[in-house]
Amino acid sequence: MDQIVPKLSPFVTAHPTLLDGAKFYDPALTAKGEVRASVNMAGLKTLWFNTGTLCNLTCLNCYIESSPTNDALSYLTAAEALAYLDEIADLNLPVEEIGLTGGEPFMNPDILSLIAVPLQRALKVLVLTNGMKPMDHRKDGLLALKAQYGDRLTLRVSLDHYTGLVHEAERGAGTWARALEGLHWLSVHGFNLAVAGRSLAGETADEARAGYEALFEGMGVALDVSNPAALVLFPEMDARVDVPEITTACWGILHKDPADLMCASSRMVVKRRGADQPAVVACTLLPYDPQFELGPDLVSSLGSVKLNHPHCAKFCVLGGASCSAG
């Protein structure tokens, strides 16, 4: 009887050491030999700019390892961002929102221009921030932008929990009060606000939202905790936890539409330390993995994305998370 030889993808053929059943190695096939799921670009709605990985904090589980010393992603300039905004216009892409993330965006010297330029083009802007000292230095500029552009500018403050104990376990001593001060200042001055928290093990989403609601009511902060875009609860991102690979069959099993995933409607621009120009990556969560770098411009980034990373499974497919404001 002839021996049956399995049909291998070109990636595994070129990397025979990967035949040991390891997960998330072959872009085409799972460790069990099933066809890996992919996501087609349904229409670019949100373009993220990573403003740089430098941050005033070193958080325990930061997916991008931001810190006061990590400059793996350099500060993006307003001129570099403008080139992508021009490409959006030239290609007539359906972009509605520009997201600014880091690191801590308010550490970038060009941050106010990075906010202003897309607002000038009638785009919405979402800025992710820890709401602390770097933002304090930009308050006058923020007030001027709000006066001119109103609710088209949203600031999302990171509060890892509705208790200071859990928040400071992640972000360090003294960070709770400072974050609440920043959130309160934004609320008092009428900014369009959102908060990002985490879904903790053993705590339901309803319990978490009730906890945040009590916190905000006590602070006098008006925020609709029932709105998932106003209070975004991200799943825990623990790289030590084993997660299943996502196959093409999973869409039907899980009753998921791939068009609902972030990579169906968003991309992120990063500037690697020492690089001559920025690059476009598939996802805000995967700025370092070379298989998710899609090219130097938007037109080269609009193809399909193979879900070949644990974050694809845990965070996006199974966790149902999205980084955008909509």
Side-chain angles (χ1 to χ4, degrees):
M1 184 175 179
D2 292 337
Q3 182 181 10
I4 297 175
V5 179
K7 193 172 184 179
L8 302 176
S9 78
F11 185 86
V12 170
T13 304
H15 300 78
T17 59
L18 302 184
L19 296 176
D20 58 1
K23 290 183 176 181
F24 301 106
Y25 269 84
D26 180 357
L29 300 175
T30 68
K32 294 180 180 179
E34 299 171 294
V35 177
R36 186 177 304 285
S38 62
V39 173
N40 294 324
M41 171 56 72
L44 185 63
K45 299 293 183 66
T46 302
L47 180 62
W48 290 88
F49 292 125
N50 187 292
T51 61
T53 40
L54 287 173
C55 184
N56 55 308
L57 301 178
T58 303
C59 297
L60 188 62
N61 291 312
C62 180
Y63 75 94
I64 202 170
E65 300 177 346
S66 296
S67 76
T69 58
N70 179 14
D71 62 349
L73 300 183
S74 301
Y75 286 143
L76 192 75
T77 68
E80 289 166 337
L82 183 60
Y84 290 96
L85 298 178
D86 287 342
E87 190 179 6
I88 288 170
D90 292 342
L91 297 176
N92 197 28
L93 295 174
V95 175
E96 301 170 353
E97 175 187 54
I98 299 298
L100 300 173
T101 184
E104 169 52 50
F106 285 105
M107 291 182 67
N108 185 308
D110 267 7
I111 185 58
L112 293 177
S113 294
L114 284 164
I115 296 172
V117 170
L119 288 172
Q120 291 165 0
R121 299 195 176 200
L123 294 166
K124 295 185 293 184
V125 174
L126 171 65
V127 186
L128 310 190
T129 179
N130 56 41
M132 297 176 66
K133 190 173 182 179
M135 189 186 79
D136 290 347
H137 295 316
R138 311 289 186 177
K139 284 181 175 178
D140 289 345
L142 281 174
L143 289 171
L145 288 168
K146 182 196 173 295
Q148 188 166 2
Y149 299 105
D151 286 348
R152 292 224 311 275
L153 171 61
T154 299
L155 289 100
R156 181 191 292 168
V157 178
S158 296
L159 292 180
D160 285 301
H161 200 244
Y162 52 84
T163 67
L165 183 66
V166 175
H167 180 87
E168 292 199 352
E170 168 72 15
R171 296 181 179 258
T175 57
W176 175 246
R178 294 300 304 275
L180 293 188
E181 288 173 8
L183 180 64
H184 186 260
W185 181 85
L186 290 167
S187 176
V188 166
H189 287 88
F191 283 88
N192 202 29
L193 271 181
V195 166
R198 288 185 296 147
S199 298
L200 302 183
E203 182 177 69
T204 68
D206 287 343
E207 290 169 340
R209 292 187 185 280
Y212 279 103
E213 184 175 32
L215 171 66
F216 298 149
E217 285 181 353
M219 294 175 60
V221 171
L223 194 145
D224 181 6
V225 300
S226 66
N227 181 350
L231 175 58
V232 186
L233 295 178
F234 292 116
E236 293 268 36
M237 295 180 66
D238 188 342
R240 299 167 297 179
V241 176
D242 187 39
V243 293
E245 297 184 281
I246 304 300
T247 70
T248 53
C250 289
W251 302 127
I253 294 169
L254 299 170
H255 305 292
K256 289 273 188 176
D257 185 347
D260 293 334
L261 268 66
M262 285 192 293
C263 54
S265 60
S266 71
R267 292 291 186 262
M268 183 168 75
V269 175
V270 301
K271 178 71 177 294
R272 304 196 190 284
R273 180 179 57 215
D276 293 332
Q277 62 181 341
V280 183
V281 298
C283 178
T284 58
L285 303 176
L286 300 170
Y288 299 134
D289 192 329
Q291 68 178 313
F292 292 95
E293 184 168 322
L294 305 177
D297 49 27
L298 295 179
V299 70
S300 60
S301 76
L302 301 178
S304 64
V305 176
K306 298 286 188 180
L307 302 186
N308 192 34
H309 195 281
H311 288 347
C312 303
K314 182 173 178 60
F315 194 85
C316 295
V317 176
L318 301 176
S322 173
C323 287
S324 69

